[in-house]
mmCIF file of all heavy atoms in Angstrom:
data_model
loop_
_atom_site.group_PDB
_atom_site.id
_atom_site.type_symbol
_atom_site.label_atom_id
_atom_site.label_comp_id
_atom_site.label_asym_id
_atom_site.label_seq_id
_atom_site.Cartn_x
_atom_site.Cartn_y
_atom_site.Cartn_z
ATOM 1 N N ALA A 340 74.012 86.102 66.338
ATOM 2 C CA ALA A 340 73.396 87.298 66.931
ATOM 3 C C ALA A 340 74.081 87.660 68.245
ATOM 4 O O ALA A 340 74.314 88.842 68.533
ATOM 5 C CB ALA A 340 71.903 87.065 67.154
ATOM 6 N N LEU A 341 74.382 86.647 69.037
ATOM 7 C CA LEU A 341 75.094 86.879 70.297
ATOM 8 C C LEU A 341 76.470 87.478 70.019
ATOM 9 O O LEU A 341 76.892 88.423 70.691
ATOM 10 C CB LEU A 341 75.249 85.570 71.069
ATOM 11 C CG LEU A 341 76.153 85.611 72.310
ATOM 12 C CD1 LEU A 341 75.591 86.562 73.367
ATOM 13 C CD2 LEU A 341 76.339 84.196 72.895
ATOM 14 N N ARG A 342 77.154 86.916 69.041
ATOM 15 C CA ARG A 342 78.482 87.417 68.693
ATOM 16 C C ARG A 342 78.432 88.889 68.297
ATOM 17 O O ARG A 342 79.252 89.697 68.740
ATOM 18 C CB ARG A 342 79.084 86.571 67.567
ATOM 19 C CG ARG A 342 80.533 86.882 67.269
ATOM 20 C CD ARG A 342 81.148 85.862 66.312
ATOM 21 N NE ARG A 342 82.560 86.182 66.099
ATOM 22 C CZ ARG A 342 82.996 87.093 65.242
ATOM 23 N NH1 ARG A 342 82.132 87.743 64.482
ATOM 24 N NH2 ARG A 342 84.284 87.355 65.134
ATOM 25 N N GLU A 343 77.466 89.262 67.469
ATOM 26 C CA GLU A 343 77.342 90.651 67.036
ATOM 27 C C GLU A 343 76.984 91.565 68.201
ATOM 28 O O GLU A 343 77.472 92.694 68.296
ATOM 29 C CB GLU A 343 76.285 90.763 65.936
ATOM 30 C CG GLU A 343 76.705 90.167 64.604
ATOM 31 C CD GLU A 343 77.911 90.879 64.013
ATOM 32 O OE1 GLU A 343 78.040 92.110 64.223
ATOM 33 O OE2 GLU A 343 78.736 90.213 63.366
ATOM 34 N N ASP A 344 76.157 91.064 69.099
ATOM 35 C CA ASP A 344 75.773 91.854 70.278
ATOM 36 C C ASP A 344 76.990 92.120 71.162
ATOM 37 O O ASP A 344 77.188 93.246 71.643
ATOM 38 C CB ASP A 344 74.697 91.099 71.067
ATOM 39 C CG ASP A 344 74.202 91.899 72.268
ATOM 40 O OD1 ASP A 344 73.756 93.051 72.077
ATOM 41 O OD2 ASP A 344 74.266 91.375 73.398
ATOM 42 N N LEU A 345 77.819 91.097 71.368
ATOM 43 C CA LEU A 345 79.026 91.266 72.191
ATOM 44 C C LEU A 345 80.005 92.232 71.534
ATOM 45 O O LEU A 345 80.659 93.026 72.222
ATOM 46 C CB LEU A 345 79.698 89.914 72.418
ATOM 47 C CG LEU A 345 78.975 88.939 73.348
ATOM 48 C CD1 LEU A 345 79.681 87.587 73.346
ATOM 49 C CD2 LEU A 345 78.898 89.489 74.765
ATOM 50 N N ILE A 346 80.111 92.168 70.216
ATOM 51 C CA ILE A 346 81.008 93.090 69.510
ATOM 52 C C ILE A 346 80.583 94.534 69.744
ATOM 53 O O ILE A 346 81.405 95.394 70.079
ATOM 54 C CB ILE A 346 81.031 92.771 68.002
ATOM 55 C CG1 ILE A 346 81.774 91.452 67.747
ATOM 56 C CG2 ILE A 346 81.692 93.907 67.224
ATOM 57 C CD1 ILE A 346 81.682 90.959 66.325
ATOM 58 N N GLN A 347 79.291 94.811 69.581
ATOM 59 C CA GLN A 347 78.804 96.180 69.743
ATOM 60 C C GLN A 347 78.928 96.658 71.189
ATOM 61 O O GLN A 347 79.336 97.802 71.443
ATOM 62 C CB GLN A 347 77.341 96.271 69.272
ATOM 63 C CG GLN A 347 77.158 96.036 67.784
ATOM 64 C CD GLN A 347 78.038 96.944 66.937
ATOM 65 O OE1 GLN A 347 78.137 98.154 67.189
ATOM 66 N NE2 GLN A 347 78.704 96.372 65.946
ATOM 67 N N LYS A 348 78.596 95.794 72.133
ATOM 68 C CA LYS A 348 78.746 96.164 73.547
ATOM 69 C C LYS A 348 80.217 96.403 73.900
ATOM 70 O O LYS A 348 80.546 97.312 74.656
ATOM 71 C CB LYS A 348 78.165 95.066 74.444
ATOM 72 C CG LYS A 348 76.646 95.008 74.446
ATOM 73 C CD LYS A 348 76.151 93.898 75.371
ATOM 74 C CE LYS A 348 74.632 93.878 75.437
ATOM 75 N NZ LYS A 348 74.133 92.759 76.301
ATOM 76 N N GLY A 349 81.085 95.565 73.347
ATOM 77 C CA GLY A 349 82.509 95.712 73.621
ATOM 78 C C GLY A 349 83.077 97.002 73.073
ATOM 79 O O GLY A 349 83.870 97.682 73.734
ATOM 80 N N LEU A 350 82.689 97.343 71.853
ATOM 81 C CA LEU A 350 83.157 98.602 71.267
ATOM 82 C C LEU A 350 82.727 99.786 72.117
ATOM 83 O O LEU A 350 83.495 100.730 72.330
ATOM 84 C CB LEU A 350 82.605 98.754 69.840
ATOM 85 C CG LEU A 350 83.226 97.845 68.775
ATOM 86 C CD1 LEU A 350 82.406 97.901 67.493
ATOM 87 C CD2 LEU A 350 84.671 98.255 68.489
ATOM 88 N N GLN A 351 81.504 99.745 72.630
ATOM 89 C CA GLN A 351 81.002 100.835 73.458
ATOM 90 C C GLN A 351 81.717 100.882 74.806
ATOM 91 O O GLN A 351 82.134 101.953 75.263
ATOM 92 C CB GLN A 351 79.489 100.664 73.674
ATOM 93 C CG GLN A 351 78.820 101.850 74.353
ATOM 94 C CD GLN A 351 78.911 103.128 73.536
ATOM 95 O OE1 GLN A 351 78.847 103.105 72.312
ATOM 96 N NE2 GLN A 351 79.056 104.253 74.220
ATOM 97 N N GLN A 352 81.887 99.725 75.437
ATOM 98 C CA GLN A 352 82.540 99.675 76.745
ATOM 99 C C GLN A 352 84.000 100.099 76.668
ATOM 100 O O GLN A 352 84.520 100.750 77.581
ATOM 101 C CB GLN A 352 82.431 98.260 77.328
ATOM 102 C CG GLN A 352 83.159 98.048 78.642
ATOM 103 C CD GLN A 352 82.642 98.914 79.793
ATOM 104 O OE1 GLN A 352 81.661 99.649 79.648
ATOM 105 N NE2 GLN A 352 83.307 98.852 80.925
ATOM 106 N N SER A 353 84.671 99.766 75.584
ATOM 107 C CA SER A 353 86.099 100.092 75.459
ATOM 108 C C SER A 353 86.347 101.594 75.427
ATOM 109 O O SER A 353 87.456 102.049 75.733
ATOM 110 C CB SER A 353 86.684 99.442 74.203
ATOM 111 O OG SER A 353 86.166 100.027 73.021
ATOM 112 N N LYS A 354 85.323 102.384 75.093
ATOM 113 C CA LYS A 354 85.476 103.831 75.054
ATOM 114 C C LYS A 354 85.712 104.426 76.443
ATOM 115 O O LYS A 354 86.156 105.564 76.574
ATOM 116 C CB LYS A 354 84.242 104.479 74.423
ATOM 117 C CG LYS A 354 84.051 104.137 72.950
ATOM 118 C CD LYS A 354 82.780 104.764 72.402
ATOM 119 C CE LYS A 354 82.559 104.383 70.937
ATOM 120 N NZ LYS A 354 81.291 104.954 70.411
#
Side-chain angles (χ1 to χ4, degrees):
L341 171 63
R342 188 170 182 278
E343 289 297 327
D344 183 55
L345 289 173
I346 289 172
Q347 294 306 315
K348 287 180 177 178
L350 287 169
Q351 188 63 36
Q352 176 62 4
S353 68
K354 294 178 182 178

